[in-house]
């Protein structure tokens, strides 16, 4: 029997990917946008649709609403591409993403 990961585990995986794979700072554009839009798991990030939903990721900087920058949009697209590519080549990324290195 496979037990689904808790929400805290999902958030920990997302943070690990941001820090270890993408090497993002704690105050990065993508961190803030995910917090603001309630994206707390890789599944939610991977399910974002094309550029429309990714373009809509925003966060508040004081009272100003800010869209994530192109660099972070590219990070999301790269993660999505890598996940789908690995799934299609029958070398899937582990649920906890620990079988993925920064180089990959």
């Amino acid at each position: 029997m496979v037990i689904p990961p808790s929400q805290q585990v999902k958030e920990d995986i997302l943070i690990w990917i941001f820090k270890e794979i993408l090497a993002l700072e704690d105050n990065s554009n993508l961190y803030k946008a995910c917090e603001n839009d309630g994206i707390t798991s890789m599944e939610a990030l991977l399910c974002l649709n094309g550029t429309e939903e990714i373009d809509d990721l925003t966060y508040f900087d004081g009272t100003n609403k800010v869209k994530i920058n192109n660099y972070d949009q590219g990070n999301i697209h790269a993660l999505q591409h890598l996940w789908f590519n690995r799934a299609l080549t029958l070398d899937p990324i582990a649920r906890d993403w620990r079988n993925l290195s920064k180089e990959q």
Side-chain angles (χ1 to χ4, degrees), residues 11-96:
E11 288 179 24
D12 290 345
I13 291 168
L14 187 64
I15 290 170
W16 182 83
I17 291 165
F18 284 172
K19 287 183 182 259
E20 300 299 323
I21 303 298
L22 298 178
L24 299 178
E25 300 292 329
D26 289 344
N27 64 347
S28 83
N29 204 275
L30 186 53
Y31 264 114
K32 292 176 182 178
C34 284
E35 277 185 0
N36 191 61
D37 280 334
I39 294 173
T40 56
S41 71
M42 273 310 294
E43 294 87 355
L45 202 60
L46 292 172
C47 287
L48 290 176
N49 178 2
T51 56
E52 283 179 26
E53 291 179 359
I54 292 172
D55 282 343
D56 288 341
L57 278 181
T58 57
Y59 65 94
F60 283 97
D61 184 7
T63 57
N64 298 323
K65 197 169 192 177
V66 180
K67 288 187 175 188
I68 66 167
N69 58 33
N70 290 339
Y71 177 79
D72 285 331
Q73 289 180 26
N75 281 331
I76 296 171
H77 287 298
L79 288 171
Q80 289 176 330
H81 175 76
L82 184 61
W83 188 84
F84 287 118
N85 187 48
R86 293 274 300 260
L88 289 173
T89 60
L90 301 179
D91 182 22
I93 295 173
R95 179 181 280 184
D96 65 1

